[in-house]
């Protein structure tokens, strides 16, 4: 099997030619000297680590899996050493706050590293990804004292983080959770309860593991308003900050999963574990959603990473696999990449992976602007765009990632079903991304049921206006991409019409949003990615390099073969909820 190749040329093209990275980042205090060339150089080094250290552990780690030995989690051979090398190289703190020892690089660089981690070893990538999410929640909501104690070593990666939300009787409906927290009297609390599905809940890397746990105080009301957030470490600290005695928490078992076998997904028992309140009492979900929103974007990037890795492997196989005759019948056997149906699958993978990467970079730039731009109005506008696109990136990228993994497996034929080729692992690993951090149905409901009404409904209109302005400008200034622009404008018109109709229908039909949400999110995503393909096609229109030639060709494929799906999606949404809801439950 061929090795994964980080697409740093593609990244450089996007940062420099499509998004004007240098000018945008220079407007943010602290980043005035940062350039796209520097970002690409950093990512080249990151790609080398992912390719040489992490990818070779991916299949063996999947086969060995994490396990429990004498009550403690043991990760597969090589993972512990790889994590230590990852920390020593400084990668956990890439985008971390410099106040706590981080390097302070922009979110866009972090997201591109996350793609590489996910492409080469998704199980491994969850350790630093979850830690970074926990860091964000602590940084935004904890007291200065807790920040000073816990953040420096978490930012450095010496200590890791985990998110403990889910209980057996409380999945998406967190209002049902029963874990409780009793005040000790010295500012700490004793946490008692059991959580399931806790990724990175325990490991054998050494150091501490900081759990962020949702629990109820004794006088808390029922429902989500009674939930608070607590920081509970695996090890309590001595007076000098060194690791002390083991906290009263343990791993009950490891979940037996379809994929990500090298990642320890734990059932965690908290038996009076000492913890400290993060944020205000009863405001735990508010604090936890800081972490969850970060993780949702991270999970979307996992889908992108799987799509890229699977596409690369399928292309390499299709170039080497000889089967069948050429279209004119004159040659045979020929590489299967010459066959039209194989081309369709490979082009779909390339169109979706490249399009998603571009949208991820644009969104990450909005995150950087929202965090650091000197103008408050500009920060607020960028923050709104991130809020709107978060469920789109989480759900669409992971749906497309799974779809591309399946298509790439199909290119291999029977070999794709055999473990030794690695393609079936991509399919299994990708599947969880559609489920955790809020299922994709929940993300669709968030978009269609909540995000469309933000700013009194002005937020989606502002996004649509931005897309329209960009695409119309492209059509006027780059006639060579006029056909692509026309298809995207047609899809945008469908999206705008559907949005207005869905908002109106929701006032009289309680099931309107629920029945349409998943189709609506895909309609939104296909249109947004089409916008990215217009921007890439305009930047590549000279066609002077192989990369530019590929961009223009794939943009046309996307507009002709994938974007027309928006017609069917719009028609399905317009049909309403009746046929979905009318059949009595006992007749299914």
């Amino acid at each position: 099997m061929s090795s994964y190749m980080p697409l740093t040329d593609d990244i450089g093209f996007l940062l420099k030619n499509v998004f004007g990275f240098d000018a945008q980042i220079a407007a943010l205090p602290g980043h005035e000297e940062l350039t796209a060339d520097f970002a690409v150089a950093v990512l080249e080094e990151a790609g080398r680590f992912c390719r040489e250290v992490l990818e070779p552990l991916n299949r063996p780690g999947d086969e060995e899996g994490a396990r429990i030995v004498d009550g403690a989690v043991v990760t597969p051979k090589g993972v512990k050493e790889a994590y230590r090398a990852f920390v020593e190289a400084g990668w956990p703190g890439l985008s971390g706050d410099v106040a706590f020892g981080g390097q302070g690089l922009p979110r866009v660089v972090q997201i591109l590293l996350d793609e590489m981690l996910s492409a080469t070893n998704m199980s491994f990538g969850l350790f630093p990804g979850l830690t970074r999410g926990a860091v964000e929640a602590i940084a935004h909501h904890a007291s200065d004292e807790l920040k000073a104690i816990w953040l420096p070593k978490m930012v450095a990666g010496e200590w890791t983080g985990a998110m403990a939300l889910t209980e057996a009787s409380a999945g998406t409906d967190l209002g049902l959770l029963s874990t409780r927290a009793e005040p000790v009297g010295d500012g700490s609390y004793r946490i008692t309860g059991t959580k399931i599905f806790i990724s990175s809940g325990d490991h054998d890397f050494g150091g501490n593991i900081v759990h962020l746990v949702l629990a109820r105080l004794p006088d808390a009301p029922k429902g989500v308003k009674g939930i608070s957030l607590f920081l509970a470490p695996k090890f309590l600290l001595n007076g000098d900050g060194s690791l002390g005695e083991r906290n009263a928490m343990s791993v009950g078992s490891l979940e037996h999963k379809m994929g990500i076998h090298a990642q320890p997904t734990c059932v965690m028992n908290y038996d009076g574990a000492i913890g400290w309140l993060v944020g205000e009492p009863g405001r735990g979900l508010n604090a936890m959603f800081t972490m969850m929103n970060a993780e949702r974007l991270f999970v979307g990037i996992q889908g992108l990473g799987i799509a890229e890795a699977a596409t690369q492997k399928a292309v390499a196989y299709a170039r080497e696999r000889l089967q069948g005759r050429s279209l004119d019948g004159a040659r045979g056997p020929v590489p299967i990449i010459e066959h039209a149906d194989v081309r369709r699958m490979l082009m779909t993978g390339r169109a979706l992976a490249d399009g998603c990467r571009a949208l991820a970079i644009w969104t990450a730039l909005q995150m950087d602007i929202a965090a650091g731009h000197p103008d408050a109005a500009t920060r607020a506008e960028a923050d709104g765009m991130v809020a709107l696109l978060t469920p789109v990136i989480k759900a669409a990228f992971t749906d497309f990632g799974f779809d591309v993994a399946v298509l790439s497996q199909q290119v291999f034929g029977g070999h794709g079903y055999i473990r030794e080729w690695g393609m079936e692992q991509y399919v299994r690993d990708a599947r969880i991304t559609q489920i955790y951090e809020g299922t994709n149905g929940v993300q669709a409901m968030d978009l269609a049921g909540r995000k469309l009404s933000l700013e009194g409904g002005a937020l989606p209109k502002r996004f649509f206006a931005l897309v329209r302005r960009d695409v119309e400008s492209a059509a006027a200034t780059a006639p060579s991409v006029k056909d692509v622009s026309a298809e995207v404008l047609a899809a945008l018109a469908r999206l705008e019409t559907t949005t207005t109709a869905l908002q109106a229908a929701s006032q009289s039909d309680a099931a309107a949003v629920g029945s349409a949400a998943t189709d609506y999110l895909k309609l939104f995503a296909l249109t947004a990615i089409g916008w990215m393909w217009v921007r890439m096609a305009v930047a590549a229109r000279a066609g002077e390099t192989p990369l530019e030639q590929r961009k223009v060709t794939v943009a046309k494929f996307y507009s002709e073969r994938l974007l027309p799906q928006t017609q069917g999606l719009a028609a399905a949404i317009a049909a309403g909820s009746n046929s979905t809801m009318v059949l009595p439950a006992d007749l299914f």
Side-chain angles (χ1 to χ4, degrees):
M1 283 290 288
S2 61
S3 295
Y4 166 79
M5 292 296 296
L7 298 185
T8 48
D9 287 346
D10 190 76
I11 290 168
F13 167 80
L14 291 169
L15 295 181
K16 297 173 189 178
N17 299 4
V18 179
F19 296 113
F21 177 87
D22 290 7
Q24 290 210 58
I25 290 297
L28 307 181
H31 294 317
E32 294 86 353
E33 305 299 320
L34 186 62
T35 66
D37 286 334
F38 178 79
V40 169
V42 169
L43 291 166
E44 284 177 341
E45 194 61 34
R48 187 175 299 111
F49 182 92
C50 291
R51 182 185 182 192
E52 296 177 359
V53 178
L54 298 184
E55 188 176 34
L57 298 175
N58 194 37
R59 183 183 155 206
D62 176 70
E63 294 180 344
E64 180 181 347
R67 62 196 190 281
I68 294 179
V69 178
D70 297 329
V73 168
V74 176
T75 55
K77 182 179 179 181
V79 173
K80 175 169 57 177
E81 292 77 12
Y83 185 79
R84 288 173 179 166
F86 187 76
V87 171
E88 289 172 4
W91 295 117
L94 189 70
S95 61
D97 190 336
V98 293
F100 299 106
Q103 299 170 46
L105 290 179
R107 183 64 66 98
V108 64
V109 181
Q110 180 67 61
I111 276 181
L112 290 166
L113 169 59
D114 289 340
E115 181 194 337
M116 296 176 184
L117 291 170
S118 302
T120 52
N121 197 318
M122 195 174 114
S123 290
F124 181 95
L126 278 160
F127 292 110
L130 285 163
T131 302
R132 194 169 62 252
V135 163
E136 292 197 22
I138 295 168
H140 280 84
H141 300 284
S143 66
D144 289 341
E145 181 182 7
L146 287 179
K147 292 178 190 178
I149 294 171
W150 301 102
L151 288 186
K153 290 193 175 182
M154 292 182 72
V155 168
E158 294 180 43
W159 296 350
T160 61
M163 177 170 59
L165 285 77
T166 308
E167 299 179 8
S169 60
T172 300
D173 189 355
L174 292 172
L176 298 176
L177 69 81
S178 60
T179 298
R180 62 188 188 275
E182 301 279 347
V184 174
D186 60 358
S188 66
Y189 298 79
R190 288 198 175 275
I191 301 166
T192 303
T194 297
K195 302 286 186 176
I196 63 173
F197 304 157
I198 311 306
S199 299
S200 302
D202 194 28
H203 55 66
D204 55 354
F205 302 164
N208 218 337
I209 304 174
V210 178
H211 290 231
L212 293 184
V213 186
L214 288 179
R216 295 184 182 279
L217 293 167
D219 58 350
K222 294 181 179 180
V224 296
K225 292 183 179 180
I227 300 173
S228 300
L229 181 65
F230 299 87
L231 184 160
K234 178 178 179 179
F235 295 102
L236 300 174
L237 302 183
N238 296 317
D240 61 0
S242 61
L243 298 183
E245 65 181 32
R246 174 75 180 256
N247 207 350
M249 64 171 71
S250 61
V251 181
S253 63
L254 292 181
E255 308 286 5
H256 298 281
K257 302 168 296 184
M258 176 179 176
I260 55 169
H261 292 154
Q263 168 59 222
T265 305
C266 305
V267 174
M268 293 298 307
N269 297 318
Y270 303 91
D271 300 307
I274 294 293
W276 292 268
L277 185 67
V278 175
E280 301 174 21
R283 298 275 292 166
L285 280 188
N286 180 56
M288 184 59 85
F289 266 107
T290 298
M291 182 174 185
M292 288 184 69
N293 284 331
E295 294 305 318
R296 284 171 176 173
L297 289 165
F298 172 55
V299 170
I301 301 305
Q302 290 179 333
L304 166 58
I306 290 286
E308 179 58 45
T311 295
Q312 286 192 23
K313 298 292 170 56
V315 168
Y317 181 82
R319 286 171 173 161
E320 297 172 356
R321 172 67 168 170
L322 303 179
Q323 187 170 305
R325 303 194 68 80
S326 59
L327 291 175
D328 61 6
R331 295 175 293 112
V334 297
I336 63 172
I337 198 168
E338 293 191 25
H339 302 318
D341 189 56
V342 173
R343 284 290 187 103
R344 173 190 62 82
M345 293 186 281
L346 298 177
M347 288 290 284
T348 298
R350 179 51 56 214
L352 290 173
D354 286 7
C356 288
R357 182 178 304 107
L359 187 59
I361 289 174
W362 185 85
T363 305
L365 285 169
Q366 300 307 303
M367 296 173 76
D368 289 321
I369 292 168
H373 198 280
D375 179 64
T378 302
R379 291 198 304 272
E381 183 173 332
D383 193 54
M385 291 297 183
V386 175
L388 181 66
L389 286 171
T390 293
V392 177
I393 287 177
K394 193 283 179 184
F397 283 26
T398 58
D399 281 346
F400 293 151
F402 180 76
D403 291 345
V404 171
V406 171
L407 284 174
S408 298
Q409 181 188 37
Q410 189 75 12
V411 170
F412 281 71
H415 293 295
Y417 201 67
I418 304 301
R419 172 168 290 190
E420 66 198 55
W421 289 88
M423 301 309 292
E424 56 86 35
Q425 184 185 345
Y426 290 136
V427 175
R428 289 186 288 104
D429 285 355
R431 189 65 184 91
I432 186 57
T433 66
Q434 299 170 291
I435 297 170
Y436 59 15
E437 298 304 339
T439 66
N440 286 359
V442 168
Q443 305 306 313
M445 287 294 293
D446 180 41
L447 175 67
R450 292 184 59 251
K451 298 298 172 62
L452 294 185
S453 61
L454 291 180
E455 301 179 14
L459 178 59
K461 291 179 181 178
R462 186 153 51 84
F463 177 75
F464 299 156
L466 170 62
V467 174
R468 183 173 297 280
R469 186 166 61 249
D470 261 12
V471 178
E472 288 179 344
S473 174
T477 59
S480 61
V481 300
K482 191 172 182 179
D483 290 347
V484 176
S485 299
E487 291 296 334
V488 175
L489 286 172
L492 177 61
R494 293 181 198 108
L495 177 59
E496 291 174 313
T497 299
T498 301
T499 301
T500 301
L502 185 59
Q503 289 171 326
S506 66
Q507 303 302 310
S508 58
D509 180 1
V513 171
S515 65
T518 294
D519 287 338
Y520 180 82
L521 187 143
K522 187 174 183 180
L523 170 60
F524 194 114
L526 287 169
T527 304
I529 293 170
W531 168 43
M532 290 293 104
W533 271 114
V534 169
R535 294 189 64 157
M536 286 187 280
V538 169
R541 65 187 182 277
E544 295 176 351
T545 67
L547 186 149
E548 290 177 343
Q549 294 165 14
R550 188 182 77 213
K551 291 293 183 187
V552 171
T553 301
V554 179
K556 191 169 182 61
F557 174 88
Y558 183 88
S559 69
E560 291 181 350
R561 300 301 300 267
L562 300 183
L563 206 52
Q565 294 176 29
T566 60
Q567 298 177 43
L569 292 166
I573 295 167
S577 67
N578 184 61
S579 61
T580 302
M581 303 302 297
V582 69
L583 187 68
D586 59 358
L587 294 185
F588 272 79

